[in-house]
């Protein structure tokens, strides 16, 4: 009889859940002891000293009807972000533009990225605890989703609270999910109608995204993380060639594809707004500043003062993360005092391209 009782006990849902929880915590401890999660340039550069960004690991998809295995629902999904990170910033802007603040919750990691990776530190300025899993480090979220995970721990992370799974850590794809899958829950007709990837412009947006990502979004990292003069020279030349190309486009249109904001503008903005703050000095991208490009500087101010852009831009996190965390570039972690930038200076973008 006792054996029967014990058998029933071991088969209970509670016990199985407890075993899973203990296994996940154990694997987290094991994984934590294996590796450092700090930025290590040597891991991601080739023999030429060129920075090579690894692909994202989690690539599932949320759909409005649930046909992808993840159905758009209120309160089911959660974003883990860093205010410092341009890739995570894309998702915050999109969430704001679509009015999804009450649909998808958010936690913000500490600006400092140390050997344990991104951490939750509510005592740090503008940072939060992990309100979903009560973890101390973002890597624990990754190990919860996959106890054997060995890849990079990056932001953003789109997390399924119900299934305890990471849906995606690819910012470009999260942006598109937020922009389309949750339309049913947008609070206003304007937010619901906002299409950041309209069918008529998709070919043009894809073409812009391809070279802007390679030479600008990732180009600043290819310049700053280069470990040889040859690699730096190549990356920085391509970066400023691409910026010149953007300047020409913006001399003809208010936004990259014409009169309306698209995902291409969101993706470019998160790099441009960091450029003069940190990329010019910290990443040695100092041939020109964004304020030296008349059209691009006006465009940046235009977007900054558009709801959803400036209010999700956190200068403190941006400056203190890059300069405080990248010890291979800035060993003492000293954060520069400037520059003085006033995004409220009037621009003529609206009237010029009316």
């Amino acid at each position: 009889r006792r054996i029967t009782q014990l058998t029933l006990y071991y088969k209970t849902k509670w016990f199985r859940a407890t075993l899973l929880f203990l296994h996940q915590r154990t694997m987290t401890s094991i994984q934590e002891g294996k590796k450092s999660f700090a930025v290590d340039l040597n891991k991601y550069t080739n023999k030429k000293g060129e920075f090579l960004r690894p692909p994202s690991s989690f690539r599932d998809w949320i759909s409005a009807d649930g046909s992808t295995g993840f159905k758009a629902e209120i309160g089911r999904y959660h974003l883990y972000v860093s205010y410092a990170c341009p890739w995570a910033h894309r998702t915050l802007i999109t969430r704001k533009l679509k009015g999804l603040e009450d649909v998808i919750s958010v936690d913000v990691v500490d600006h400092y990225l140390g050997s344990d990776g991104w951490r939750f530190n509510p005592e740090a300025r503008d940072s939060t605890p992990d309100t979903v899993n009560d973890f101390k480090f973002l890597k624990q979220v990754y190990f919860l989703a996959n106890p054997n995970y060995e890849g990079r721990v990056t932001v953003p992370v789109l997390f399924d609270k119900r299934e305890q799974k990471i849906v995606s850590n690819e910012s470009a794809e999260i942006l598109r999910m937020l922009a389309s899958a949750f339309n049913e829950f947008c609070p206003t007709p304007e937010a619901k109608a906002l299409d950041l990837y309209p069918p008529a412009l998709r070919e043009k947006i894809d073409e812009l995204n391809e070279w802007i990502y390679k030479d600008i979004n990732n180009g600043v990292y290819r310049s700053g993380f280069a470990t040889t003069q040859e690699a730096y020279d190549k990356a920085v030349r391509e970066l400023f060639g691409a910026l010149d190309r953007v300047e020409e486009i913006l001399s003809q249109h208010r936004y990259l594809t014409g009169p309306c904001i698209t995902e291409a503008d969101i993706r470019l903005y998160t790099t441009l707004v960091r450029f003069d703050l940190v990329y010019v000095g910290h990443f040695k991208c100092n041939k020109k500043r964004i304020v030296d490009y008349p059209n691009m500087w006006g465009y940046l101010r235009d977007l900054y003062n558009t709801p959803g852009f400036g209010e999700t831009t956190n200068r403190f996190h941006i400056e203190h993360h890059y300069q405080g965390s990248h010890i291979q570039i800035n060993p003492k972690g000293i954060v520069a005092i400037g520059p003085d930038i006033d995004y409220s200076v009037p621009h003529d973008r609206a009237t010029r391209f009316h």
Side-chain angles (χ1 to χ4, degrees), residues 173-185:
E173 294 171 5
I174 296 174
L175 187 161
R176 288 189 180 172
M177 286 182 241
L178 301 188
S180 59
F182 293 86
N183 279 342
E184 177 185 351
F185 310 112

Side-chain angles (χ1 to χ4, degrees), residues 69-302:
F70 295 90
K71 180 177 172 57
E73 299 176 27
I74 294 177
R76 177 174 171 179
Y77 300 100
H78 185 76
L79 269 175
Y80 290 108
V81 301
S82 162
Y83 281 138
C85 173
W87 319 105
H89 194 180
R90 298 172 171 185
T91 67
L92 287 175
I93 293 171
T94 307
R95 174 178 175 264
K96 189 73 175 179
L97 291 176
K98 296 294 288 185
L100 300 177
E101 296 94 321
D102 295 328
V103 178
I104 300 170
S105 51
V106 170
D107 283 332
V108 181
V109 295
D110 192 339
H111 65 268
Y112 179 71
L113 179 61
S115 60
D116 285 311
W118 296 111
R119 64 173 177 167
F120 300 102
N121 180 15
E123 295 183 2
R125 178 170 165 178
D126 299 330
S127 303
T128 71
D130 177 2
T131 60
V132 175
N133 296 295
D134 196 30
F135 287 142
K136 292 183 178 180
F137 300 98
L138 184 63
K139 62 185 177 182
Q140 294 172 282
V141 177
Y142 277 74
F143 298 145
L144 175 63
N146 178 4
N148 298 311
Y149 183 72
E150 295 184 351
R152 297 171 68 228
V153 174
T154 60
V155 286
V157 170
L158 184 58
F159 184 76
D160 184 339
K161 293 186 280 189
R162 190 182 76 189
E163 299 298 326
Q164 294 282 282
K165 293 180 178 179
I166 293 176
V167 179
S168 178
N169 67 340
E170 171 49 59
S171 65
E173 294 171 5
I174 296 174
L175 187 161
R176 288 189 180 172
M177 286 182 241
L178 301 188
S180 59
F182 293 86
N183 279 342
E184 177 185 351
F185 310 112
C186 292
T188 66
E190 293 78 15
K192 184 175 182 178
L194 177 63
D195 191 346
L196 297 171
Y197 191 53
L201 294 174
R202 287 181 182 179
E203 185 176 349
K204 188 173 186 178
I205 291 170
D206 289 343
E207 188 265 335
L208 284 164
N209 286 346
E210 183 177 2
W211 62 265
I212 288 175
Y213 166 77
K214 174 182 173 293
D215 295 332
I216 299 178
N217 300 142
N218 199 43
V220 293
Y221 285 91
R222 290 170 53 226
S223 301
F225 286 171
T227 57
T228 65
Q229 187 70 49
E230 178 187 7
Y232 165 77
D233 289 343
K234 180 177 185 294
V236 83
R237 281 196 299 267
E238 292 173 352
L239 166 63
F240 282 97
L243 288 174
D244 289 341
R245 192 174 173 185
V246 168
E247 177 71 3
E248 174 61 25
I249 292 171
L250 294 176
S251 72
Q252 303 170 45
H253 309 290
R254 182 174 181 181
Y255 304 113
L256 286 172
T257 61
C260 299
I261 292 172
T262 69
E263 69 167 48
D265 298 293
I266 295 173
R267 290 165 56 118
L268 178 60
Y269 170 83
T270 60
T271 297
L272 296 188
V273 80
R274 288 161 173 76
F275 200 91
D276 291 4
L277 295 179
V278 288
Y279 299 151
V280 168
H282 185 64
F283 278 172
K284 304 181 183 67
C285 301
N286 60 354
K287 181 181 178 183
K288 293 174 75 173
R289 304 164 300 168
I290 299 305
V291 297
D292 298 322
Y293 294 93
N295 293 296
M296 214 178 324
W297 174 222
Y299 167 81
L300 178 55
R301 302 197 314 275
D302 189 3

Side-chain angles (χ1 to χ4, degrees), residues 252-255 258-259 302 348-354:
Q252 303 170 45
H253 309 290
R254 182 174 181 181
Y255 304 113
D302 189 3
D348 65 351
R349 303 293 294 177
T351 56
R352 183 178 167 192
F353 299 107
H354 180 65

Side-chain angles (χ1 to χ4, degrees), residues 307-318:
F309 286 81
E311 60 199 293
T312 58
T313 303
N314 189 306
R315 178 168 178 169
F316 176 87
H317 271 237
I318 291 168

